[in-house]
Each structure stands twice: as C-alpha cells, then as structure tokens.
Amino acid sequence: MTTTDTTAAETNDPIRNGVDTAALFATLDAVRQAPAAAKFQFRAHNQWVSGTHNRTTIADYFGVGEERSHERTFVFDADHPPTEFVLHALASCLTAGLANIAAARRVTLTEVRSTVTGDIDLNGILGLSPDVRNGYQQITVRFTIKGDAPVETLRELMEQSRVRSAVYDVITNQVPVTLEVNVPDIPEGARS
Amino acid sequence: MTTTDTTAAETNDPIRNGVDTAALFATLDAVRQAPAAAKFQFRAHNQWVSGTHNRTTIADYFGVGEERSHERTFVFDADHPPTEFVLHALASCLTAGLANIAAARRVTLTEVRSTVTGDIDLNGILGLSPDVRNGYQQITVRFTIKGDAPVETLRELMEQSRVRSAVYDVITNQVPVTLEVNVPDIPEGARS
C-alpha cells in the first residue's frame, strides 16, 4: 500500500483525520496571495492571584490584518495555537518567581498583572517562505506591579525573577530536543 | 519606607503574598544538603483526538529521588510548574502539525500518542549553583504513530512536522524577549 492507494472519492474528501483540508488549502492560497495577512500576534493576559498561583486568559489576538478574538477563551485541551502555551508559561513563570522572591525579601505585593505578546509570521510554518522562521520572532512581556516597597525595589524583584526564570531561559537560550518516533510495523493485510 | 520597615512579627510570618516562606526556606535548606534531590523530570502525556485537536495530561514526574504524582491532574489556572506548559505546547504543536501534514499528503492517521519529558535541575532556579541553567537541560519527545501508510512514510510525516514546528523552533533556537516593567509611583503616605 502506498499513500496514493486511496480512492478518488477519498482523496477529494475535504475532511481527513478531522482536518478540513479544503480550508487548509484555501488558507494556503489566501496567504500566498497576501503574505502580510500571515503576520500574527498572539497574546496571553496574566494576573497574579496569590503565592505562585496566577491566572492567564487568552482571548484576543492580531491576525489577517486586524484585531481579533477567539470564539471562546482558552480551555486546556481545546483546539487552538500551541504557541500560546509558551506565552502563558512565560507569564506564569515570571509571576510565580516574583511572588517567591518578593516574599523572601519581605515585600508584600498587592497587584501583579502582565501581558505577553509574541510576534509570529505564519509564512514560516506554512512553508511559504524559507526566510521566515517557524517560531516567534519577538516576545514582549509587560508587567504592572504594586507593593509596599519603593519603585526601585519592586523593579529589582522583577529583574531577579527574570534572571532566575526557567521559562525565560528556555525561550531566550537553546534547549536540545530529541525526537523519537515509534511506528508499529503493521502487516499490510491488517491495515484498515 | 524601605523593605526593612516591617515589624518583627511580620517578618516572622511564614506566609507572605500567599507564599509559604517557611516551606520555601526549608526546601532551600533541603536541597543545599542533598543537591541531587533537585534533579526533576516533568512530563506531559499527549494524545491526538482529531484534526489539530489533541489532549495532554500532566500527572506524574520524577523528583527528590523518586517517581511522583501531582495531587491532581493539570487544570489551566492551577498552581503548578509553568515549565510544564512548554512541554504541553511542544507535544500539541508537533501533533497538530502531523495531522495537518498527513491530511495534506492523503495519509489517514488512526492513532497518535506522545510523551514529552524535560530534565531540569532546580539548583538553577533556586540560585544554589551558578553552573546550572534555570531551564530544561534536555527535552525528549517520544511519539507513537499509526496510520494507513508504510512505516517510512509515517516517519517522514513526523520529520516534516518537526521541521515546521513553531514551538520546536522556539525551544531549540533563541527568541529575543523584551521585559517592560511598570511600577506606579504611589506616594509613601498612600501605601498600605
């Protein structure tokens, strides 16, 4: 069996593996016609709750030339861009670190808010331009912090959180990734 | 007001900003005594559902010398290591890409499972060793794929997903991160 053994009816089926291939190719064509439409900016809005507990909401983004909103706010196992999890992870890590460090230095925080934005050009992952990287080209984190300490002290806490952040390290430096693939060799006759 | 203006009673309070500082320092001491206990491995278990929809469960990990389980499985805004989101993001990105690419190449997938493990030494983020990085030292992704194509074809789909993955790019290459901090300058008399 090869990948071309499927029938014409099957190959023309717009849905395969649950993927709307018609929409997929339509998107490819649309971006091929207007490359600027592929410039996206995903965002995660994070608010500290208490201790290392904080909450991120993913709702709005910029794409296809304008401000947009997801149809619903983020749910863990929902179908949405995985790259948004990286932004959530960064905000969560920096905020948790800030709370820990502030506590260790005897500073009481009253409010911590942050917005993380990641700029991405979908020409990369769509394979339409070899000059565009797949991932974010730039990530920006904007924090607002309030607490019972001078402005300079609060800034120092944030800086120390950055210096000690695991996710900040992962994103700004390189982590080696090993990919192992197991494909059970099913006899041809047993394949569906 | 400075950070040392708090009273002795306040400084001895084990909870500040919701952080259990007593437990925090106890952990620091414990790891200082037994540095090997800080070697953790977090994991995300991912299973493809349909299309670009897949599900990650975060439940077990290795730490303090043994296999462990979180008290509960992952909930979006819960209090747990933010670095686990990076693993979830990677599994989700590679799986969604695989489904898209398989569909584009007319391969029907019947099962896609993956486990992502990230090795981290908490000596880094705890500031106990300048030689240990804050983030993951190594990430390993293990996929099991089944579908109506020869083994080599399924492996090629996975390889193409890796080559086009945004999260894989973010993790294995560098993304510049800009951190902006806004600290409203509240008059001393108005501080709580």
Side-chain angles (χ1 to χ4, degrees):
Chain A
M1 173 180 276
T2 72
T3 58
T4 58
D5 282 351
T6 48
T7 68
E10 284 172 333
T11 59
N12 291 334
D13 190 330
I15 307 296
R16 185 181 297 269
N17 300 328
V19 174
D20 186 338
T21 53
L24 180 63
F25 289 122
T27 300
L28 279 166
D29 284 338
V31 175
R32 201 175 276 123
Q33 298 296 320
K39 292 184 181 297
F40 276 59
Q41 182 183 74
F42 293 121
R43 300 164 188 157
H45 300 282
N46 183 275
Q47 180 161 3
W48 175 55
V49 178
S50 178
T52 56
H53 178 196
N54 57 82
R55 184 170 294 128
T56 291
T57 304
I58 295 173
D60 60 297
Y61 65 101
F62 180 90
V64 197
E66 62 186 29
E67 291 291 320
R68 291 170 179 274
S69 295
H70 290 300
E71 293 181 14
R72 53 182 175 188
T73 54
F74 169 69
V75 179
F76 174 62
D77 67 351
D79 183 3
H80 77 105
T83 44
E84 290 181 341
F85 280 105
V86 175
L87 304 185
H88 166 56
L90 182 57
S92 180
C93 189
L94 289 170
T95 301
L98 179 68
N100 276 332
I101 293 164
R105 297 190 181 183
R106 303 172 181 174
V107 173
T108 298
L109 300 173
T110 53
E111 188 177 341
V112 178
R113 294 174 180 273
S114 64
T115 295
V116 183
T117 59
D119 295 311
I120 191 169
D121 185 338
L122 299 188
N123 279 294
I125 60 172
L126 291 175
L128 296 176
S129 172
D131 302 318
V132 176
R133 70 181 295 175
N134 297 312
Y136 290 121
Q137 296 164 319
Q138 165 70 32
I139 292 175
T140 301
V141 190
R142 295 182 178 86
F143 267 89
T144 296
I145 308 170
K146 296 179 184 176
D148 69 349
V151 170
E152 198 47 48
T153 300
L154 293 172
R155 288 185 177 281
E156 287 168 4
L157 297 177
M158 189 73 249
E159 174 60 12
Q160 185 60 18
S161 178
R162 185 188 68 77
V163 166
R164 279 282 157 253
S165 169
V167 178
Y168 184 90
D169 179 14
V170 166
I171 295 173
T172 58
N173 297 301
Q174 300 176 339
V175 179
V177 175
T178 301
L179 176 59
E180 299 175 5
V181 185
N182 172 40
V183 182
D185 194 3
I186 304 168
E188 283 197 19
R191 288 184 195 142
S192 59
Chain B
M1 172 181 276
T2 72
T3 57
T4 59
D5 282 351
T6 48
T7 67
E10 285 173 332
T11 59
N12 290 335
D13 189 331
I15 307 294
R16 187 181 294 269
N17 301 326
V19 174
D20 186 339
T21 54
L24 180 63
F25 288 122
T27 300
L28 279 167
D29 284 339
V31 175
R32 201 175 276 123
Q33 298 295 321
K39 291 184 182 298
F40 276 59
Q41 182 184 75
F42 293 121
R43 300 164 187 156
H45 301 282
N46 184 276
Q47 182 161 2
W48 175 55
V49 178
S50 179
T52 56
H53 179 196
N54 57 83
R55 184 171 293 127
T56 292
T57 304
I58 295 173
D60 61 298
Y61 64 101
F62 180 91
V64 198
E66 62 186 29
E67 290 293 319
R68 292 171 179 273
S69 295
H70 290 298
E71 292 182 14
R72 53 182 175 187
T73 54
F74 169 69
V75 179
F76 174 60
D77 66 351
D79 184 3
H80 77 104
T83 44
E84 290 182 340
F85 280 106
V86 175
L87 303 185
H88 166 57
L90 182 58
S92 180
C93 189
L94 289 170
T95 301
L98 179 68
N100 277 332
I101 293 164
R105 296 190 182 183
R106 302 174 180 173
V107 173
T108 298
L109 300 173
T110 53
E111 187 177 340
V112 178
R113 294 175 179 272
S114 64
T115 295
V116 183
T117 59
D119 295 311
I120 191 169
D121 184 339
L122 298 189
N123 279 294
I125 61 171
L126 290 176
L128 296 176
S129 172
D131 302 319
V132 176
R133 70 180 294 175
N134 296 312
Y136 291 120
Q137 296 164 319
Q138 165 71 33
I139 292 175
T140 301
V141 190
R142 294 182 179 87
F143 266 89
T144 295
I145 308 170
K146 297 179 184 175
D148 70 347
V151 170
E152 198 47 48
T153 300
L154 292 173
R155 289 186 177 279
E156 288 168 4
L157 296 178
M158 190 72 249
E159 174 60 12
Q160 185 59 19
S161 178
R162 185 188 69 76
V163 166
R164 279 283 157 252
S165 168
V167 177
Y168 184 90
D169 179 14
V170 166
I171 294 172
T172 59
N173 297 301
Q174 301 177 339
V175 179
V177 176
T178 300
L179 176 59
E180 299 175 4
V181 185
N182 172 41
V183 182
D185 194 3
I186 303 168
E188 283 198 19
R191 287 181 195 146
S192 60

